[in-house]
Amino acid sequence: MSDPQAVTTAAPPPTLGGGTVTPHARRRPSPGFFVKLALVATVDALGVYGVLAAAAVASWGIVTFLVLALVVVNWAYFSPRALPAKYLVPGLVLLLVYQIFTMAYTGWVAFTNYGDGHNSTKQDAIASIAEQNETRVEGSPTLPLSVVERDGELGFAVVQEGVVEVGTAQQPLAPAPDANVEAGRVTAVPGWDVLQFVDVAGRQDEVTVLRVPFSDDPADGSVRTQDGSTGYVFRPTLEYDEATDTFVDTVDGTTYAPSDGGNFVSADGTVLTPGWRVGVGLDNFTRAFTDSRLSGPFVQITAWTFAFAFLSVATTFALGLFLAIVFNDGRVRGRKVYRSLLILPYAFPGFLSALVWRGMLNEKFGFVNEVLLGGAQVPWLQDPWLAKVSIVLVNLWLGFPYMFLVCTGALQSIPADTVEAARIDGAGPARILRSVTLPLLMVSVAPLLISSFAFNFNNFSLIYMLTGGGPNFVGTPVVVGHTDILISMVYSVAFESGTKQYGLASALSILIFVVVGVVSWLGFRRTRTLEEI
Amino acid sequence: MRRSIPTTAAALGLTLALAACSSGSGEEAEATTEGAATAEGTLTMWVDDTRITEMEPVVAAFTAKTGVEVELVQKASGDIGKDFVAQVPTGEGPDVIVSAHDGLGEWVNNGVVAPLELGDQAAAFSPAAIAGVTYDGATYGTPISIENIALVRNDALDPETTATTFDELVAEAKEAGTDFSVLIQQGDASDPYHLYPLQTSFGAPVFESTADGSYTDTLALGGEAGDAFAAYLAKLGQEQVLDLAIDGDKAKQAFLDGQAPYIITGPWNTSAFLEAGMEISVLPVPSAGGEPAQPFVGVQGVFVSAKSANPVLANELVVNFLATEEAQDMLYTEGGRMPALTASAEKVDDPILQGFNEAGATGAPMPAIPAMSSVWASWGATQAQIVGGQAGDPAAAWEAMVGTIQDAIDQA
């Protein structure tokens, strides 16, 4: 930056907090200014490094974002007037990167057919199809090859049956007399420079795309090399025609034209892979309901997701509340010890607990069947209904301490004199619970129940670790099972069902978001009425 | 003048950034030709966690030979194929990837892997290995090792196997008086891979294959042969030979504890048996249905990315180096897996690996079609229902499964 002395004479230096500048600081910037300078310099250095790195791989979107972010950051921290921005900028930048961008990207993917077979751009698809459909001419020789150059133009020099032949992309292979051959490979050709491996390594793309016609007859194919030292004669079975934007089969003349679905398709419906990413409108959103093989499990899974989330909240809340009330009673001895013990399930990571439970519920060797039930063989995780029960019970074990804590806190905030007053009015314990404790408790606990519902609605890790969604449905196009909830179904669609379908998975994610959003919104609207007691 | 600092700072940031854009064209320096016999360049190679240690010395030898640096990146074996498909289009993927061949169909379908020409060297590999790295008639990789399952015997419990069929083997194993007879690992979703030798012995392979050993997409696991196998599965389930509660870990542990004279497993488990001091022999799986029992053969291959920035260097490594006897020998010395190159495989004198090799001699490569994951899922689920006894009519359940799998393939 500029010399701070020069700065001080021009303008009072802003301080970190943007506070008033004391006369003393007019002559020398405060230490805080230098700290700020160092911090912003670090951020700038990182940002410039990021710009360099992104520009090197030509990611212009990232470059633009970083440049803008750097300008905004520098303006915010060196302008005396942007006080709110000083506090908000870091959070806003992270919000943009981690939340807004992710949501927007998911939203965009949901309207495309991104997934297996439609993995990239049309340009990539054309390159891949062309490459995959170039076949070696049967019975053609393996040619020891050298890459040669003249006036910047590359060519191949090959040894065929003891004769050296040289050709370029325009010139078919023709004998080159007086060439020097060592160990079966051309080392010198008059009028040409023979490139060494090092030179080839510097011009790899040019070398691999070069096709030298084998003879004057195009049907004989052309010589290509992949390693710069061996050539093979190849003939394309499919050729891309740029003018008409079609692939033409060189054998039977079938044309493959690009379809709306992002594939080259022939008139009789033969599809070439790979395809490319195209927008498909609302297809992904409607597919869950229209594809008969998806819609059956989708409805079942949706119902189970609601049931699972509701039951999880209901059971954990009931048990947590019961225990909280019990241990809130002064007559129980050793309340602190009990309370500490009850928190334990909450202290273990849920991932681990679910895995441990999976082992304990094993049909044959699990602790539950072997020890507790004396060798019974209850298919805890194999039977569709028992697996559902197991999941709810394990989630109860995992979740009740949280509810216990929350209810304990809420109970202690209820003034004792209200309960006392109710008792003087002649209310029994049940009536006090129903008419005094619960309504007062609900004011603070209801929002937490809603968030707990939303959390369990997307409780992926429990399902994934405990049952993996199994036992699987038989006959569905995606691998889903009786205990899958919507989010684990999305995971299965996106990653586990053979053909990855990111578009469909994104659409389902958005549907889940809508459901959770609506449920939460309705719930929070209802909780407002609770407070009007 | 009052706003000099922020404006200067912003302007400076902008200038720096613009300068960065203009200079960062990302072109690598041209390799100098002055007397350098070696090339400059770096290849990025993805290897999964189980193979990275054996690859290190091999790529070091390649670097010594050519001067091309190889940067090994360790990936989790479950993610390597997925990440490859996702990252190649972005240009962030590797140049070269080492992986099992069963993801190949998906890669070809996504256009992320480049075909390569092994030339005359292709004949030096075992046919099963070449079939594994071939998809739709084009070769995509260099096979480096092959592995398959076989019957492993605990010599202490049954020193001599006289059985010629699987039923006889079960009877013979029961004479040992242990808890289990022949362990075949299952799990909640059964295990079609480990049951496949029995299935093929009924003449019901998953797909029909052509004369050159590559698969067509016509299903062959249905029909009378499939029904007979389904009935046999139900029988094994009733006799408690197969038990869904015995998953991979439990089967391995039970065999280690001497609770069974036989287990059907692969070379990945035998080292643990040997370390425990067991005397074991590896035999082919006896036929259950009269035809030869063919296990799946898994091929480990090295493949080149379709968007590699260094196609020549990558081919130099994959085709001209890793397909050589020297490299395959080194891989065997470092990793102890059966080399795919016939000449290197013949030098292997380890009786255990030889046993696996003989058991896999008749084997068939694991299908690599993209629909295969849906096939595995319904296949396993149905076998689990038959073995567990939930399916009242095994043949009907089997036929329903064939329909489902056909659907999955038609969808793909």
Side-chain angles (χ1 to χ4, degrees), chain A residues 182-202:
Chain A
E182 279 176 34
R185 208 171 292 282
V186 179
T187 51
V189 187
W192 294 84
D193 292 335
V194 177
L195 298 187
Q196 299 304 314
F197 181 59
V198 180
D199 313 325
V200 173

Side-chain angles (χ1 to χ4, degrees), chain B residues 208-236:
Chain B
E208 284 176 7
S209 45
T210 57
D212 66 350
S214 59
Y215 288 108
T216 64
D217 51 11
T218 315
L219 286 175
L221 45 66
E224 279 179 26
D227 296 350
F229 171 63
Y232 190 72
L233 266 190
K235 179 172 92 99
L236 289 183

Side-chain angles (χ1 to χ4, degrees), chain A residues 1 7 10-12 48 51-52 55-57 63 67 71 74-75 78-81 115-120 124 128 131-132 136 142 197-202 204-205 207-208 226-229 232 234 273-274 287 293 362 364-365 382 472 474-477 479 491 495-500, chain B residues 1-3 5-6 9-10 14 16-17 20-21 23-26 30-33 36-39 68 82 85 89 92 106 108-112 114-120 140 188 240 243 245-246 250 306-307 309-313 315-316 320 370 373-374 377 381-382 385 404 407 411:
Chain A
M1 299 299 300
V7 175
V48 169
V51 168
L52 288 171
V57 293
V63 170
V67 171
V71 171
N74 284 286
W75 170 78
F78 290 108
S79 157
R81 294 188 307 171
D116 263 340
H118 299 275
N119 197 35
S120 190
D124 281 349
S128 287
E131 189 174 38
Q132 288 173 11
R136 195 175 159 189
T142 300
F197 181 59
V198 180
D199 313 325
V200 173
Q204 296 179 55
D205 285 339
V207 171
T208 46
Q226 290 170 314
D227 54 11
S229 56
Y232 298 101
F234 277 85
T273 57
R287 212 190 124 189
R293 295 169 317 153
N362 182 295
K364 202 161 184 181
F365 302 97
Q382 286 71 32
N472 284 340
V474 176
T476 48
V479 185
Y491 179 81
F495 301 109
E496 289 191 321
S497 290
T499 43
K500 295 188 281 292
Chain B
M1 240 1 230
R2 269 189 92 75
R3 262 169 288 144
I5 296 180
L14 194 61
L16 273 175
C21 297
S23 64
S25 56
E30 286 281 319
T32 51
T33 58
T38 55
V68 178
K82 247 186 308 203
V85 170
E92 296 291 301
E106 189 186 326
V108 174
N109 196 21
N110 282 311
V112 295
L116 46 82
E117 183 56 59
L118 290 170
D120 307 339
Y140 286 90
D188 293 345
Q240 293 284 304
D243 187 339
I246 312 281
K250 298 200 173 71
K307 291 192 82 170
N310 303 299
V312 171
L313 302 183
N315 271 282
E316 187 66 27
N320 296 349
S373 347
S374 348
T382 306
Q385 288 175 339
T404 307
D407 269 1
Q411 271 286 307

Side-chain angles (χ1 to χ4, degrees), chain A residues 426-501:
Chain A
R431 179 74 204 218
I432 291 176
L433 178 70
R434 207 183 55 185
S435 304
V436 178
T437 319
L438 264 186
L440 286 171
L441 187 88
M442 274 307 194
V443 173
S444 52
V445 176
L448 297 172
L449 294 184
I450 293 161
S451 62
S452 175
F453 180 89
F455 169 80
N456 279 309
F457 201 88
N458 283 334
N459 196 344
F460 173 79
S461 62
L462 172 75
I463 304 288
Y464 185 75
M465 294 287 164
L466 189 61
T467 63
N472 284 340
F473 291 122
V474 176
T476 48
V478 286
V479 185
V480 287
H482 289 276
T483 56
D484 263 315
I485 54 175
L486 285 167
I487 192 74
S488 60
M489 175 181 176
V490 167
Y491 179 81
S492 182
V493 167
F495 301 109
E496 289 191 321
S497 290
T499 43
K500 295 188 281 292
Q501 304 171 60

Side-chain angles (χ1 to χ4, degrees), chain B residues 150-153 161 262 281-285 355 359:
Chain B
L151 183 72
V152 179
R153 180 181 72 202
T161 306
Y262 293 99
S281 313
V282 181
L283 317 161
V285 181

Side-chain angles (χ1 to χ4, degrees), chain B residues 191-207 220-222 225-226 228-230 232-233 285-296 375-376 379 383 398 401-402 405:
Chain B
D191 196 326
Y193 175 82
H194 282 85
L195 290 172
Y196 197 65
L198 299 185
Q199 185 176 328
T200 45
S201 75
F202 280 89
V206 62
F207 293 110
L221 45 66
F229 171 63
Y232 190 72
L233 266 190
V285 181
S287 168
E291 303 200 22
Q294 301 179 297
F296 273 134
V375 174
W376 287 120
W379 201 2
Q383 288 190 347
W398 194 258
M401 172 199 81
V402 174
I405 294 180

Side-chain angles (χ1 to χ4, degrees), chain B residues 122-144:
Chain B
F125 288 95
S126 73
I130 291 294
V133 294
T134 305
Y135 190 79
D136 269 355
T139 311
Y140 286 90
T142 296
I144 52 173

Side-chain angles (χ1 to χ4, degrees), chain B residues 142-177:
Chain B
T142 296
I144 52 173
S145 67
I146 47 180
E147 50 191 21
N148 53 269
I149 52 175
L151 183 72
V152 179
R153 180 181 72 202
N154 182 342
D155 295 352
L157 292 173
D158 189 2
E160 196 65 49
T161 306
T162 53
T164 52
T165 68
F166 194 78
D167 285 332
E168 287 173 16
L169 183 80
V170 172
E172 186 177 327
K174 282 183 175 160
E175 286 167 19

